[in-house]
Amino acid sequence: MSEPLVLGIETSCDETGIGIVRGRTLLSNTIASSMDEHARYGGVVPEVAARAHLEALQPAIDAALAEAGVRLDDLDAVAVTSGPGLAGALMVGVGAAKGLAVSIDKPLYAVNHLVGHIAADILTADSAPLEYPTIALLVSGGHTSLLHVRDLTTDVELLGETMDDAAGEAFDKVARLLSLPYPGGPEIDRAAADGDPDAIRFPRGLSRASDLAKHRYDFSFSGLKTAVARWVERCEADGVEVPVADVAASFREAVVDVLVTKALAACADLGVPRLLLGGGVIANRRLREVALRRAAEAGVTVRIPPLSLCTDNGAMIAALAAELISSGRRPSTLAFGADSTLPVTEIQIAEAVPA
Amino acid sequence: MHGYPGDVILAVDTSLGTAVALIDADGARRAEAAAVDPLGHAEVIGDLLVEALADAGPGEVTHVVAGMGPGPFTGLRIGIAAARAFALGRDIPVVPVPSHLAAALTALETETQPFAIVTDARRREVAITVFDGLDADGIPHVVAETVLVRAADADAHLEGVRRVDVATLSAVDLARVGARALAAGRVLTGDEPLYMRHPDVTVPGAPKKVGS
Ligand SMILES: [Zn+2]
């Protein structure tokens, strides 16, 4: 089976993603987001997300099949995100994937969400194939992870991750401090457009020499968020209008700086001149600009999949399963659950042992 | 309902443990598979479906009956998601049925007076539905709609109505209730799970002071 036709189900956060791929060819990337329902709460509410997944799954599968022009009978396999992510949200996808796979009697592949973000890159038909090894920086509202990818289907290592908030969460929280709506990423971006990124020197988390010894590739954004809060409070206490543009630009610069610095440090340390970016926060233009400029200076090639494949989606899950199938991996058994803290080293979950 | 020989109805419920069953269109039990664990629905649902379908023997599944709760949300949704996806895979309809109706049909094998089905609703609350016999369509007759009551207040609430505490559910009886609803052309509940509670969230106020 050289070009397996796979339907992928992704429900780890607030996007219900259904993707259909044939090998490395994208046929549908259907996404139903519950983001609007979370807006009034200022962040993703797990129970709201899980309820929305249950409502969205069936219409999203129908829409994906129609767009791809395939029937369920045509599928070679079903794939699903087993973790990491929000447990209750993941379980809706796992339940649906099992029901579907049993119903149509097709193999099921349970896969890792973070590795799925890397797999998104192989669906970009017009660029040269992903070269290994590569460093991958995955930044979203749910995760901030730095990975060393030696092989997509067999060898992914976690170099570091956030110790507290995900970068996307920091954007949401700082947006609230500045009375900007949710989601914070695009709002901060807009507010920062006329701001001076060097106006305020906000702290770079885990970047001091003493931190770097233990947390060279780890991230922390809660101190930065607190620093912004203090700054805003001081303005208010002094009766000074908060310079929103400068605060937004300086905050964003601090996040971008620490993300890019650590990613390029990993490239240099490990002698890997390739960096792959993924996750919804990659939509942030400043992050892409700074990453591209500083990577070029360091002689590192940067790959950025299209944004529709950077945010959480089912196509990347299908793509990862298609690669697993093409490399001869057996399907997962049906006896797996959702694992909210699934380590990145577990690329496929519950692979069946040969009979 | 088709009703020709070989037609079977599949029922799935994860409002308590995980329960899967298949019955003939006339209500005869074909197969049943269950796990009593009130957690772990996601882990077991696939194998239980395979097991029950294999035991049921030949026949075409024409409908999937989904137990819609009440029950702890996270577990409840897994069965509904699996039921809907199974139905989608076979291009057959889903028949949503309140889970307490299945428990009531089971209880009616022995109960002759009005009785209350009582299930754990977490947070020191129970879900209570009061029934009295079967209606003309053979469906347990609800005399008091499902409510959430503090567990400690349940007996006072029931005012002497016999309580039937239920920790596991018969998917066979869930399928039977679904079959009877189909035969009577009745819709017993909507597509929304019987959550009984709003999501636990509050709209944020002003950011907390961090001090300087
Ligand atoms: Zn993600």
Side-chain angles (χ1 to χ4, degrees):
Chain A
M1 201 190 299
S2 56
E3 293 273 271
L5 182 68
V6 184
L7 181 145
I9 299 176
E10 152 64 38
T11 63
S12 69
C13 193
D14 62 337
E15 323 272 12
T16 311
I18 303 296
I20 300 176
V21 305
R22 192 185 296 280
R24 297 182 170 184
T25 307
L26 176 65
L27 302 182
S28 176
N29 180 15
T30 299
I31 296 170
S33 176
S34 60
M35 194 176 72
D36 292 349
E37 294 175 55
H38 303 285
R40 52 195 287 245
Y41 307 116
V44 173
V45 181
E47 176 61 22
V48 172
R51 290 186 182 196
H53 286 309
L54 184 65
E55 298 318 307
L57 265 170
Q58 198 174 326
I61 294 173
D62 284 334
L65 290 167
E67 187 187 14
V70 300
R71 296 172 319 130
L72 287 169
D73 278 352
D74 303 331
L75 295 177
D76 294 306
V78 176
V80 67
T81 303
S82 165
L86 303 169
L90 287 165
M91 284 183 215
V92 179
V94 170
K98 289 184 177 180
L100 183 62
V102 172
S103 174
I104 61 179
D105 196 20
K106 304 284 182 178
L108 178 60
Y109 285 78
V111 305
N112 187 302
H113 173 85
L114 290 173
V115 183
H117 274 298
I118 304 163
D121 185 78
I122 64 177
L123 294 172
T124 52
D126 29 346
S127 57
L130 181 63
E131 272 185 77
Y132 300 112
T134 185
I135 301 300
L137 173 66
L138 306 179
V139 197
S140 76
H143 34 79
T144 307
S145 307
L146 198 54
L147 313 176
H148 186 192
V149 187
R150 293 186 200 86
D151 183 276
L152 179 65
T153 58
T154 59
D155 193 356
V156 180
E157 179 194 356
L158 178 73
L159 297 173
E161 62 189 334
T162 183
M163 311 308 289
D164 39 60
D165 295 342
E169 258 180 299
F171 273 95
D172 292 337
K173 289 176 177 174
V174 167
R176 266 189 65 205
L177 291 170
L178 298 175
S179 304
L180 300 170
Y182 174 87
E187 295 293 336
I188 296 272
D189 243 11
R190 205 166 302 141
D194 305 321
D196 175 4
D198 301 319
I200 308 153
R201 177 72 192 180
F202 285 126
R204 272 62 171 160
L206 298 180
S207 296
R208 281 192 301 251
S210 55
D211 295 323
L212 286 176
K214 243 188 105 184
H215 296 289
R216 186 165 180 78
Y217 305 124
D218 289 324
F219 304 93
S220 167
F221 298 105
S222 74
L224 170 60
K225 176 196 67 192
T226 306
V228 176
R230 288 216 176 97
W231 214 90
V232 170
E233 280 171 26
R234 212 151 38 223
C235 287
E236 284 162 354
D238 297 347
V240 182
E241 195 184 333
V242 180
V244 172
D246 283 351
V247 174
S250 300
F251 159 75
R252 183 181 64 176
E253 205 62 10
V255 174
V256 166
D257 183 26
V258 79
L259 289 172
V260 174
T261 299
K262 293 201 172 214
L264 291 176
C267 290
D269 296 348
L270 298 162
V272 175
R274 285 173 290 273
L275 175 63
L276 173 68
L277 303 181
V281 173
I282 302 304
N284 192 291
R285 196 148 44 86
R286 182 68 184 159
L287 173 56
R288 281 178 293 159
E289 277 168 15
V290 172
L292 287 168
R293 178 172 51 76
R294 287 176 51 187
E297 287 163 12
V300 170
T301 315
V302 177
R303 294 179 71 107
I304 308 177
L307 287 181
S308 58
L309 290 168
C310 277
T311 50
D312 291 346
N313 68 85
M316 68 188 198
I317 300 306
L320 176 53
E323 290 294 299
L324 290 165
I325 294 166
S326 296
S327 71
R329 296 279 275 272
R330 292 176 298 274
S332 301
T333 68
L334 289 173
F336 64 89
D339 184 346
S340 59
T341 60
L342 185 68
V344 74
T345 44
E346 298 200 27
I347 298 166
Q348 181 191 352
I349 294 82
E351 185 184 7
V353 291
Chain B
M1 204 159 27
H2 299 234
Y4 55 81
D7 278 2
V8 288
I9 293 174
L10 169 68
V12 179
D13 187 282
T14 53
S15 66
L16 296 167
T18 305
V20 176
L22 290 111
I23 63 165
D24 285 327
D26 66 5
R29 176 188 178 283
R30 277 277 192 111
E32 196 169 7
V36 295
D37 187 351
L39 299 171
H41 306 96
E43 284 82 350
V44 300
I45 186 73
D47 284 321
L48 292 180
L49 280 168
V50 169
E51 185 188 329
L53 286 162
D55 287 354
E60 191 153 340
V61 180
T62 58
H63 298 82
V64 183
V65 178
M68 301 302 282
F73 310 155
T74 303
L76 174 63
R77 272 189 292 264
I78 294 163
I80 298 171
R84 286 181 181 171
F86 187 97
L88 176 73
R90 301 281 177 102
D91 195 21
I92 54 177
V94 175
V95 180
V97 170
S99 302
H100 278 194
L101 288 173
L105 189 62
T106 308
L108 278 163
E109 287 165 18
T110 52
E111 299 295 329
T112 51
Q113 300 294 311
F115 63 94
I117 294 297
V118 180
T119 54
D120 183 17
R122 305 264 167 98
R123 300 188 195 175
R124 295 190 199 144
E125 289 188 315
V126 289
I128 298 179
T129 315
V130 182
F131 295 90
D132 187 7
L134 295 173
D135 65 22
D137 298 320
I139 294 168
H141 180 56
V142 177
V143 292
E145 294 290 343
T146 309
V147 288
L148 289 189
V149 175
R150 281 184 23 174
D153 301 339
D155 286 332
H157 173 85
L158 285 171
E159 293 176 328
V161 174
R162 218 179 92 73
R163 65 184 278 178
V164 179
D165 283 85
V166 174
T168 60
L169 198 121
S170 160
V172 170
D173 281 336
L174 184 75
R176 285 176 180 142
V177 173
R180 291 173 193 183
L182 276 167
R186 282 170 57 186
V187 174
L188 300 176
T189 186
D191 289 336
E192 171 93 352
L194 300 170
Y195 286 124
M196 311 291 293
R197 283 192 194 110
H198 291 292
D200 230 3
V201 279
T202 45
V203 177
K208 284 199 299 280
K209 293 278 180 214
V210 294
S212 47

